[in-house]
Amino acid sequence: MATSHLLSNSLSLPNTVKYPSKSLLFNPSVTFKSSTRSLNLRAVLSETTTTVTAAPSSNNFQHCFSKADDGFLYCEGLKVQEVLDYVEKRPFYLYSKPQISRNVKAYHEALEGLDYIIGYAIKANNNLKILEHLRQNGCGAVLVSGNELRLALRAGFDPTRCIFNGNGKLLEDLVLAAKAGVFINVDSEFDLENIVTAARIAETKVNVLLRINPDVDPQVHAYVATGNKNSKFGIRNEKLQWFLDEVKAYPTELKLVGVHCHLGSTITKVDIFRDAAELMVKFIDQIRAEGFEIKYLNIGGGLGIDYHHTGAVLPTPMDLINTVRALVVSRDVKLIIEPGRSLIANTCCFVNRVTGVKTNGTKNFVVIDGSMAELIRPSLYGAYQHIELISPPSPSAENSTFDVVGPVCESADFLGKDRDLPTPAKGTGLVVHDAGAYCMSMASTYNLKMRPPEYWVDENNNVAKIRHGEKFEDHLKFFEDL
């Protein structure tokens, strides 16, 4: 890996980063002092040069966060420990900016030869700096609320490369979308009625796609399945003709330009996308036979990642696109793909400090300062996210099986269960991997745990803050002048 250099204009830091000795780092009795330095962090200064060689792996798993021969976890060429030592003392999200770029590039390479839009699903992660970077790398945006549309426009996305989804879109949000000129998916009878009303208010014709429920089982957790007959999303297949007749009845308000489907999330079998695409091109044929000029096929997103870090062979963007390529070409349509998780999840980890270790006699617990408030996926879905320590353990540290839990007053407050870890000392850094998607965007202030700051490591191994952490004073602002 590259040599790590962190530059700073705002902090006065030592010229050489020094780490505590093992005897101090792993002594549970050591008191860790809070930093009083300015929180206006641009980067951290380090003149320590370290040549990093990735540790050999039996499964050849590659990741922007990796353990090196020195036993430390690195983000690209930078020790996560260095970041932990110098940012404000609270949980935080740490991203690899280059990994975001690499993930987008993988989709562009897979889609080569096709006319396409990569519509990034903003619901996965709505950090403004990340959105700007994705837009600069050629992405459009997928929206599910008026505020997501406002944010997309603020980030500079081309509205003609944005798609507004959702089963309960509000009229005022639809008016905003109509005025902006984004694509709008028709999800139901009342949704169609609201889109017509919005078009009249905005005094414009709206480009719409019909979100058809293909009734394809994505073989994922029920909470993230969206394309089967029991889902709240999309129109029923047997109602297609009714919708076509209704669209014809509003020629000045609606222009039907495409069809859309979305099967679910964390999908690991690309033949599921092929099955859906085969159904969708038949619907395109049926709709074109009614006189409509269909230009777009939107197959949604949902490609899974290797959350377990086992080196499992999972489908790539190339695998996904090659599965549907011939069908897209055969109907001469522009393909819209809506990745979220597969663009951003593996670019980030959630960084915490160990508060302490305890046992109830039957269970061992590592208690950290982070919680379900900042990262709810394990509590909400029973989702697995890989957890590890960021520094080498003490030679005397015993391995044991732990539940990794936070301080929130809920038994559901866990980040991982039954994890084999070296027993960590108080203050040890611990990360939850693959936290870029559906983690910070779903964070809450439960127990008045304020949402954490976010940082990223760039191509030169500089670290920059890309979102300020919330403070207690921010909470009080909601009650001013009441």
Side-chain angles (χ1 to χ4, degrees):
M1 292 187 186
T3 299
S4 72
H5 294 285
L6 293 84
L7 307 176
S8 175
N9 296 320
S10 59
L11 291 181
S12 177
L13 301 176
N15 289 334
T16 303
V17 176
K18 296 180 179 180
Y19 295 98
S21 65
K22 287 184 178 180
S23 60
L24 289 177
L25 186 61
F26 297 101
N27 186 343
S29 66
V30 172
T31 300
F32 285 75
K33 297 179 181 179
S34 299
S35 172
T36 57
R37 285 186 259 254
S38 166
L39 302 186
N40 183 24
L41 178 68
R42 168 66 184 125
V44 180
L45 176 63
S46 172
E47 294 182 357
T48 302
T49 57
T50 306
T51 302
V52 182
T53 304
S57 171
S58 59
N59 54 25
N60 295 316
F61 178 75
Q62 300 296 316
H63 201 272
C64 59
F65 291 93
S66 59
K67 281 283 180 72
D69 292 337
D70 61 5
F72 284 90
L73 181 70
Y74 283 75
C75 177
E76 301 296 339
L78 177 63
K79 279 183 182 178
V80 177
Q81 183 70 52
E82 290 190 19
V83 183
L84 182 75
D85 286 342
Y86 289 106
V87 301
E88 53 191 299
K89 190 175 180 181
R90 59 187 295 186
F92 62 92
Y93 283 95
L94 180 65
Y95 297 81
S96 161
K97 187 179 181 183
Q99 186 64 51
I100 300 173
S101 301
R102 290 191 290 265
N103 289 349
V104 177
K105 183 180 179 182
Y107 271 99
H108 281 303
E109 290 177 346
L111 288 156
E112 188 174 353
L114 297 176
D115 196 6
Y116 66 89
I117 295 174
I118 300 173
Y120 167 69
I122 289 181
K123 63 177 181 169
N125 186 307
N126 55 32
N127 183 289
L128 178 59
K129 297 301 181 183
I130 290 173
L131 295 182
E132 290 172 345
H133 183 61
L134 289 167
R135 185 260 303 164
Q136 291 164 1
N137 278 268
C139 289
V142 175
L143 328 158
V144 290
S145 73
N147 282 340
E148 287 191 352
L149 172 55
R150 292 181 179 94
L151 190 62
L153 297 176
R154 176 68 177 269
F157 284 98
D158 179 353
T160 65
R161 293 169 57 81
C162 294
I163 305 95
F164 190 16
N165 291 335
N167 69 300
K169 298 184 285 291
L170 301 178
L171 178 59
E172 55 264 37
D173 291 347
L174 286 168
V175 173
L176 178 65
K179 289 180 177 179
V182 307
F183 294 106
I184 301 178
N185 277 323
V186 177
D187 192 88
S188 66
E189 293 87 346
F190 72 78
D191 195 39
L192 178 62
E193 180 182 346
N194 285 338
I195 295 170
V196 170
T197 301
R200 289 172 176 171
I201 294 172
E203 298 181 336
T204 188
K205 181 181 287 189
V206 177
N207 289 324
V208 298
L209 291 80
L210 292 178
R211 178 166 181 170
I212 302 173
N213 188 326
D215 193 17
V216 172
D217 181 8
Q219 301 176 37
V220 296
H221 192 290
Y223 286 8
V224 293
T226 60
N228 55 39
K229 64 181 179 181
N230 295 320
S231 173
K232 70 175 184 177
F233 299 101
I235 67 176
R236 292 177 292 161
N237 297 344
E238 60 268 26
K239 289 280 290 185
L240 177 59
Q241 187 60 53
W242 183 90
F243 280 92
L244 297 178
D245 292 340
E246 284 295 298
V247 171
K248 288 178 182 178
Y250 299 102
T252 60
E253 293 88 0
L254 305 176
K255 182 178 181 180
L256 178 59
V257 297
V259 294
H260 171 273
C261 71
H262 193 291
L263 304 178
S265 193
T266 68
I267 297 171
T268 58
K269 298 179 180 178
V270 293
D271 58 346
I272 294 170
F273 289 97
R274 181 202 61 226
D275 293 346
E278 287 177 346
L279 291 172
M280 297 305 292
V281 297
K282 292 179 181 178
F283 291 133
I284 288 175
D285 293 342
Q286 179 182 344
I287 297 168
R288 282 175 170 171
E290 293 278 339
F292 293 98
E293 187 179 356
I294 299 299
K295 299 179 180 179
Y296 298 91
L297 169 60
N298 186 335
I299 62 169
L303 194 62
I305 67 166
D306 184 9
Y307 276 111
H308 286 77
H309 287 209
T310 59
V313 179
L314 296 180
T316 64
M318 185 70 75
D319 295 327
L320 189 161
I321 299 305
N322 283 344
T323 302
V324 302
R325 182 182 298 274
L327 291 168
V328 173
V329 172
S330 71
R331 296 317 192 272
D332 190 25
V333 288
K334 187 169 187 173
L335 181 65
I336 302 175
I337 186 84
E338 299 181 347
R341 183 188 319 273
S342 57
L343 281 181
I344 198 68
N346 72 351
T347 70
C348 174
C349 66
F350 181 46
V351 187
N352 308 264
R353 288 177 173 86
V354 173
T355 304
V357 177
K358 64 179 291 187
T359 182
N360 62 11
T362 57
K363 271 274 189 182
N364 300 318
F365 301 93
V366 172
V367 184
I368 59 175
D369 52 359
S371 71
M372 65 183 290
E374 296 91 352
L375 196 152
I376 199 173
R377 290 186 70 254
S379 300
L380 183 62
Y381 304 124
Y384 180 97
Q385 292 183 231
H386 187 60
I387 293 174
E388 65 179 326
L389 306 182
I390 69 171
S391 57
S394 166
S396 61
E398 295 184 2
N399 277 49
S400 191
T401 301
F402 297 95
D403 285 4
V404 179
V405 301
V408 162
C409 191
E410 294 283 345
S411 294
D413 179 26
F414 62 90
L415 284 300
K417 290 190 171 183
D418 298 323
R419 303 303 177 87
D420 292 327
L421 295 168
T423 301
K426 179 179 179 181
T428 301
L430 175 149
V431 299
V432 182
H433 280 288
D434 303 310
Y438 305 102
C439 293
M440 182 59 173
S441 66
M442 299 177 77
S444 74
T445 57
Y446 187 47
N447 286 193
L448 279 184
K449 283 179 62 63
M450 312 314 294
R451 282 175 288 199
E454 295 178 287
Y455 305 86
W456 69 15
V457 176
D458 69 13
E459 296 80 2
N460 298 312
N461 293 317
N462 298 325
V463 62
K465 180 181 281 187
I466 57 173
R467 176 177 169 138
H468 294 294
E470 296 177 9
K471 301 178 182 179
F472 177 68
E473 290 73 21
D474 296 322
H475 178 71
L476 294 181
K477 291 178 182 177
F478 295 113
F479 305 96
E480 293 178 357
D481 303 321
L482 295 179

